[in-house]
Amino acid sequence: MPALLLCAKLRLMPELPEVEHVVRALRRVVVGRRIVATEVTLPKLIWPTSASAFKRKLKDSRITEVSRRGKFILIHIEKGGALPHGRATAPARTSEHVVAVHLRMTGKFLYLSADDELPKHARAIFYLDNDRRLVFSDQRKFGVMKLVAKSRLSKTKGIGELAPEPFSDDFNVSYLKDTLARSRRTLKTLLLDQTRVLGLGNIYAAEALFRAGINPFKVSSELSMKRVMRLHAEILEVLRDAISDSSTSRIDLEQPDGVSYGEAFERFWQVYEREGEPCIKCGTRIRRMTHGGRSTYWCPKCQRR
Ligand SMILES: [Zn+2]
C-alpha cells in the first residue's frame, strides 16, 4: 500500500494555501483516531517540552480536529473525560492540548501503514489505533512542533502575535487601511510580515500586487483608499484561488513520491518566477529584483510606481 505523502517542494517554503491543503489532507485521515504511542527522534523539534513529557501527554489521547492558524498546523488532542458505555457519572477531567506544527522548509507529514518503511528523516512518529503511523519527516530539521494547552494557544510565541486570519471578519478593508497607514515600509516588506498581514509569502504577495496593479516598492502608508480596497480584494482572491481551484485534485496524495504542492500551484502564477516573460496583461517583460535573498517580480507597466 503506497504511503500517503503530504509534502511541499524542497526549494519553496510552503505558503498558507499549501499548508491549508496539508491540514485538509490530515483531517481526512487522523481525526477521531487515538494516539497509542509517540516517538521523537529529534528532541529539539518539540522544545521546550521533553520527549518523556511529550510521550506521556499524547499517550491514549484522541485527535479531535486538525485546523490551522497562519502556517501552523494545529492537531487538537483530548485526553480523559470519555464516558464508558452506559455510564452516566460525571466524566473525569479532560485535558485538551494542541500539537502546533510549522513545516518550515522541508517538514512534511506521511501517513504510513505498519509495513511501510520509515523515511530516513522521520523526526516524530505517532502510532495510531488503526495500526497506522503518522510520521513527521523533516530533512533540514527546521520544523517546529509545540505541545501547548489549548487554553494557552493564543498566548504562545509565534502564534499569539499573528495578524487576523485572511478569511476572518477581522481582516477587513479598514484593518488593512489602518495597518498600511502606520507603516513606512514598502508594501512588499509589509505584506510578508505575518504579524501585520497574514497569509502571503513571497509568491502570493507578488501575485496579489500584480493582480491589484500596485508597485511592490510603494511605501505602505501612501496607498490610496481605492487601492487599499483593490489590494484587499486581490489578497483574498489569490488565496482563494490557490486554496480552492482545481489544483487540489492535481495533488495525488496516494503517490509514494508525492506531487509537490509547488508544482501543482505554479501553473497559475502570473508574475512569480516569470522574469523576462511577457506580462499577460500588457506584454511588457516581467522584471525581477532581489533583496535579502528574496526575489520580487513585477510588471513595470501595469505596476507603475
Ligand atoms: Zn503588464
Side-chain angles (χ1 to χ4, degrees), residues 164-177:
E165 282 293 322
F167 297 111
S168 72
D169 294 341
D170 294 337
F171 180 70
N172 48 44
V173 173
S174 64
Y175 172 86
L176 186 60
K177 176 71 186 162

Side-chain angles (χ1 to χ4, degrees), residues 70-113:
K71 291 203 291 179
F72 274 94
I73 296 164
L74 306 177
I75 302 172
H76 301 246
I77 57 167
E78 193 182 283
K79 198 165 164 171
L83 279 177
H85 285 301
R87 292 272 301 275
T89 49
R93 201 163 60 95
T94 310
S95 78
E96 290 180 301
H97 282 82
V98 172
V99 180
V101 183
H102 201 298
L103 305 173
R104 292 285 168 85
M105 296 295 286
T106 54
K108 60 189 174 188
F109 278 104
L110 295 97
Y111 185 61
L112 303 179
S113 76

Side-chain angles (χ1 to χ4, degrees), residues 31 168 273:
V31 169
S168 72
E273 287 198 339

Side-chain angles (χ1 to χ4, degrees), residues 25 28 100 104 128 147 187 206 208 210 213 289 294:
R28 285 195 289 272
R104 292 285 168 85
L128 305 175
L147 177 65
L187 282 167
F210 174 73
M289 198 186 269
R294 313 198 81 176

Side-chain angles (χ1 to χ4, degrees), residues 210 279-284 286 299-303:
F210 174 73
C279 166
I280 58 157
K281 294 182 197 170
C282 75
T284 306
I286 298 298
C299 168
K301 192 169 173 200
C302 296
Q303 297 170 271

